[in-house]
Amino acid sequence: MDNTRWLDEQEMAAWTGFLAASNLLGRRVEQQLKDDADLSHPQYEILTRLSAAPCGELRMTELADALLTSKSGLTYQVTQLEKSGMVRRRSFPGDVRGVVACLTDEGWAKVRETAPGHVALVRELLIDVLTREQLTAIAEGLGEVSRRLRASTVR
Amino acid sequence: MDNTRWLDEQEMAAWTGFLAASNLLGRRVEQQLKDDADLSHPQYEILTRLSAAPCGELRMTELADALLTSKSGLTYQVTQLEKSGMVRRRSFPGDVRGVVACLTDEGWAKVRETAPGHVALVRELLIDVLTREQLTAIAEGLGEVSRRLRASTVR
DNA sequence: GACCAGTGGTTCGAATTTGAACCACGCCAC
DNA sequence: GTGGCGTGGTTCAAATTCGAACCACTGGTC
């Protein structure tokens, strides 16, 4: 017996569209960040997360699950950013094990000068291509999808 | 002056939802394929593309741009699949340079036994979470997005 | 106060990915 | 035919990624 519920045309289109957009967009964004700011996308994410946090600093763990990357991956990227002077590590007062990453002045400067170009690209390639209805559908639909994924993921 | 058109709340939600869904879904799918079939996602993609093609074979180049990966990446994955006996390389009659990848019997078997579980997961994590309206919005919206990305990408 | 399961981060090795350099060949124009 | 340019694939080194093992420490429990 084959009782698999295969995908109909519409569903298939959604899945392949999602996959393709995800690959191609990721690639383009990565490319632009590398060219304009000499940053990888994960690195850019780290910088913006930090810049949005009070005092420009966050615990490693908080960063790690905001970034959706593995712990070791984060360690690596933060080390890179530290080498290039964008970020500094400090130890967390109150728990010797804890480490907080902290934006340096150059880090702040980098974010300020990089963000506009990044936003412009995202707008051009994604946001402005969609109708308002598509935009809200995506915001709500994929929002729900990722909420469930987060919830069901073993921490 | 800062004349950047920043993202409003809705637009931001769409972008972050998209990024998160993309990361988390990719990770989960990857995981499942590895566990159930001992395949990476790119490898699975190769197998299904081949199985959808006449005679189960395609030129390397055709595969490469269907897969949205670099040429060298494809070479690597095909080599892996060849080692595990899912795929065979033949030379392309009519152009000595050309190489066609070709599903073996085990390759066919692998696709048949892996596809149902894969589809079920995609359904559970993505398709069945969305309303029908969201589904069509995503199919059309992201379809258009990726079409443009393909078109504007240097080949 | 000593034990012990659990946390926060780093280190390590293995697998994958990418772009650039490369090689061999086909396709033309002359 | 014979240069010379573009193509189809592979090879190479470098960067990144992941999970598993690890270390140092914390917070209860007895």
Side-chain angles (χ1 to χ4, degrees):
Chain A
M1 303 306 111
D2 176 11
N3 51 9
T4 298
R5 290 170 53 218
W6 298 100
L7 302 183
D8 65 34
E9 203 172 321
Q10 186 90 189
E11 293 167 336
M12 199 49 149
W15 174 233
T16 59
F18 178 78
L19 278 183
S22 168
N23 266 308
L24 295 170
L25 248 178
R27 206 173 290 277
R28 280 299 256 298
V29 167
E30 191 83 27
Q31 186 65 42
Q32 190 238 18
L33 284 172
K34 188 64 76 184
D35 290 346
D36 288 9
D38 204 43
L39 289 173
S40 68
H41 193 218
Q43 287 170 357
Y44 178 77
E45 279 281 328
I46 294 177
L47 295 186
T48 52
R49 297 287 177 172
L50 288 180
S51 77
C55 298
E57 43 182 51
L58 281 175
R59 296 282 300 264
M60 289 300 260
T61 303
E62 301 180 279
L63 263 181
D65 61 51
L67 268 269
L68 304 169
T69 183
S70 62
K71 288 191 299 174
S72 47
L74 181 66
T75 296
Y76 177 75
Q77 290 299 355
V78 168
T79 307
Q80 295 310 102
L81 285 172
E82 211 173 12
K83 278 184 197 162
S84 57
M86 302 296 139
V87 156
R88 207 159 35 92
R89 273 182 235 241
R90 294 193 304 103
S91 75
F92 180 67
D95 186 341
V96 191
R97 297 169 302 175
V99 172
V100 317
C102 161
L103 273 185
T104 62
D105 292 344
E106 293 117 72
W108 282 106
K110 180 68 100 174
V111 172
R112 273 197 304 274
E113 77 196 26
T114 305
H118 176 69
V119 171
L121 186 69
V122 170
R123 202 172 252 305
E124 177 196 338
L125 299 182
L126 179 67
I127 304 295
D128 286 351
V129 175
L130 302 171
T131 66
R132 203 68 201 184
E133 296 75 49
Q134 290 171 342
L135 198 78
T136 69
I138 287 178
E140 289 169 12
L142 296 188
E144 178 63 16
V145 166
S146 48
R147 220 166 297 125
R148 293 197 191 194
L149 283 167
R150 267 181 215 281
S152 71
T153 300
V154 206
R155 305 254 171 183
Chain B
M1 301 315 108
D2 177 9
N3 53 9
T4 298
R5 291 170 53 217
W6 298 100
L7 302 183
D8 65 33
E9 202 172 322
Q10 185 91 185
E11 293 167 336
M12 197 51 147
W15 174 233
T16 59
F18 178 78
L19 278 183
S22 167
N23 266 309
L24 295 170
L25 249 179
R27 207 175 290 280
R28 281 299 256 297
V29 167
E30 192 84 26
Q31 186 66 41
Q32 189 236 19
L33 285 171
K34 187 65 75 185
D35 291 347
D36 289 8
D38 204 44
L39 289 173
S40 68
H41 193 218
Q43 287 170 357
Y44 177 76
E45 279 280 328
I46 293 176
L47 295 186
T48 51
R49 297 285 177 172
L50 288 180
S51 77
C55 299
E57 44 182 49
L58 280 175
R59 295 284 299 265
M60 291 300 259
T61 304
E62 301 181 278
L63 263 181
D65 61 50
L67 267 270
L68 305 169
T69 183
S70 62
K71 289 190 298 174
S72 48
L74 180 67
T75 295
Y76 176 75
Q77 290 299 356
V78 168
T79 307
Q80 296 310 102
L81 285 172
E82 210 173 11
K83 278 184 196 161
S84 59
M86 302 295 140
V87 156
R88 207 158 36 90
R89 272 184 235 242
R90 295 193 303 101
S91 74
F92 180 66
D95 186 341
V96 191
R97 297 169 303 176
V99 173
V100 318
C102 161
L103 274 185
T104 63
D105 291 345
E106 294 115 70
W108 283 105
K110 181 68 100 174
V111 173
R112 272 195 305 275
E113 78 197 24
T114 305
H118 177 70
V119 171
L121 186 68
V122 170
R123 201 172 253 305
E124 177 197 338
L125 299 182
L126 178 68
I127 304 295
D128 286 352
V129 175
L130 302 171
T131 66
R132 202 69 202 186
E133 296 76 48
Q134 290 171 342
L135 198 78
T136 69
I138 287 178
E140 289 169 12
L142 296 188
E144 178 62 15
V145 167
S146 48
R147 220 166 298 125
R148 293 197 191 194
L149 282 167
R150 267 180 216 282
S152 71
T153 300
V154 207
R155 301 255 173 183

